[in-house]
Amino acid sequence: MRSIYLDHAATTPPRPEAVETLNLHLLRSFGNPSSLHHWGRDARAALDDARDRVAACLGCHFSEIVFTATGSEADNLALLGVAALTPRERRHLVTTAFEHHAILRTSEHLEEQGWRVTYVAPTAEGLIDPSRVADAMTDGTALVSVMLANNEIGTLQPLEEILRIAHAKGALVHTDAVQATGAVPINLGRLPVDLLSFTAHKFYGPRGAGGLFVRKGVQLASEVLGGSQERGRRAGTENVAAIAAMAVALELACAEQPSEMARQARLRDRLVAGVLNGIPRTRLNGHPTQRLPNNANLAFEGVDGEALLLNLDLEGIACSGGSACASGALEPSHVLLALGLSRELASSSVRFSVGRGTTEDDIDEALAVLATTVERLRACH
């Protein structure tokens, strides 16, 4: 049985160049980058090189990159690091109702600490209307956090207009760009966000490395207490090998972006058209065009989404019910509920995400298996 991996939004298989770099630095750059001896200096040089390369890909200064272990840690650091230095009279956060749980749980934590949080609802197509953000803003708003691309439905947000609104009120803007980094162009010289989160395993790098862009002048308290690593913004010895591999993976992803964006969008559209035209009672969740090139979130009316996932897995096809971080949750996706879907329709939805290795044959085979599997499950319903 041939395996077809259509869950790249959850994690991507590390590319050979990243694995080679990881293995090389595990052996060669094993020193502590804070040590003064030559082993430490070698590790520091590898770390500095990786920071330069990541910054070049994102269009920012190397000193604005803070390395973390995960995207969730980067999200936490952005919100909690800003919150710790915010005066009491400005303790208001504006975010959205369908952010990743790394943002939502942190927002709830801030509410417990006395912050006021406004959760802006998306439109039925999964977009955040800038006017809704403007309505939520007050003179006491310190921070706005809106993800660049939704991790479940792939919608790309009108961040430029949201930035203008927030900055006009004197608020900082953070964006969770974990799904977008490497998949779509990001130039921080032209996109004036104050903080931006990313992680390596979404662009064919290893797990265990991520980062937060912190624009020069933005004050950020460390949430990991300890040493003075990362310019005092994130204590703890850096994972040099994984960070070096992340830099290589990001460079290659950005170099391949023009061709891969177009190719993956064609595969995505082939999948969506095949489902909507070939399987009755189906719908696409999210905006039809303003979305990541690799993401297709589809609802199959009258089918239990978990049962569909398990049956597809038995046929060698990997996909997801939504965020991998919420796997095992009994509740329907909070993202789909925020769009206004019924609990039943939200529970019937599956996320397919193509990647570098996906082919037209993979899509066609997946469509054939999907059609027969959905028909069988509906017959048993």
Side-chain angles (χ1 to χ4, degrees), residues 7-321:
D7 201 17
H8 292 81
T11 197
T12 53
R15 58 191 304 155
E17 299 92 337
V19 174
E20 182 181 355
T21 301
L22 177 70
N23 291 334
L24 173 67
H25 284 284
L26 281 172
L27 296 173
R28 189 176 72 184
S29 305
F30 64 87
N32 189 317
S34 297
S35 298
L36 296 180
H37 49 63
H38 73 273
W39 285 284
R41 293 196 302 273
D42 286 347
R44 170 59 59 183
L47 189 66
D48 290 345
D49 177 66
R51 200 182 310 274
D52 285 341
R53 294 164 82 166
V54 169
C57 291
L58 297 179
C60 64
H61 192 267
F62 70 88
S63 65
E64 297 174 308
I65 297 296
V66 178
F67 289 127
T68 64
T70 64
S72 290
E73 185 194 343
D75 283 343
N76 276 243
L77 177 58
L79 270 60
L80 298 178
V82 168
L85 302 176
T86 298
R88 184 171 297 274
E89 64 272 14
R90 290 195 66 106
R91 295 174 74 178
H92 178 225
L93 165 69
V94 174
T95 187
T96 81
F98 71 164
E99 294 290 311
H100 189 276
H101 283 106
I103 295 295
L104 294 179
R105 296 291 177 262
T106 307
S107 299
E108 292 167 2
H109 173 74
L110 287 175
E111 287 184 285
E112 294 169 358
Q113 305 303 311
W115 276 66
R116 189 164 66 88
V117 180
T118 303
Y119 299 92
V120 177
T123 67
E125 290 188 323
L127 298 178
I128 297 299
D129 185 338
S131 68
R132 294 185 183 181
V133 175
D135 291 342
M137 299 285 297
T138 72
D139 291 337
T141 305
L143 180 63
V144 174
S145 183
V146 176
M147 64 199 327
L148 182 52
N150 187 272
N151 55 301
E152 292 193 27
I153 58 174
T155 48
L156 291 162
Q157 302 305 324
L159 201 54
E160 292 85 354
E161 181 59 26
I162 292 170
L163 277 161
R164 285 192 287 272
I165 292 166
H167 284 163
K169 283 283 191 179
L172 297 175
V173 177
H174 164 256
T175 188
D176 177 341
V178 165
Q179 284 294 331
T181 305
V184 294
I186 295 175
N187 186 332
L188 292 165
R190 293 198 290 266
L191 183 70
V193 292
D194 302 290
L195 304 118
L196 178 145
S197 306
F198 59 92
T199 193
H201 75 98
K202 303 295 187 180
F203 47 81
Y204 307 92
R207 287 184 288 270
L212 178 68
F213 160 78
V214 183
R215 191 170 295 280
K216 185 178 180 180
V218 174
Q219 299 301 306
L220 192 75
S222 177
E223 291 305 304
V224 179
L225 304 180
S228 59
Q229 292 92 346
E230 298 301 298
R231 297 174 181 259
R233 297 172 295 189
R234 194 270 190 182
T237 302
E238 296 93 344
N239 186 348
V240 175
I243 289 168
M246 173 171 67
V248 168
L250 183 57
E251 280 185 330
L252 292 169
C254 290
E256 296 168 355
Q257 232 169 44
S259 58
E260 274 301 298
M261 284 180 64
R263 191 187 72 86
Q264 291 183 28
R266 286 194 298 271
L267 293 173
R268 175 204 64 195
D269 292 345
R270 188 184 187 96
L271 174 65
V272 171
V275 169
L276 299 184
N277 297 330
I279 304 177
R281 297 157 58 204
T282 55
R283 59 164 281 172
L284 176 70
N285 297 321
H287 197 277
T289 58
Q290 198 167 321
R291 63 193 304 128
L292 291 171
N294 71 333
N295 178 293
N297 191 302
L298 293 149
F300 299 84
E301 185 181 339
V303 176
D304 178 73
E306 185 175 350
L308 179 55
L309 289 173
L310 292 173
N311 277 268
L312 290 175
D313 183 51
L314 292 173
E315 297 288 344
I317 299 172
C319 49
S320 173

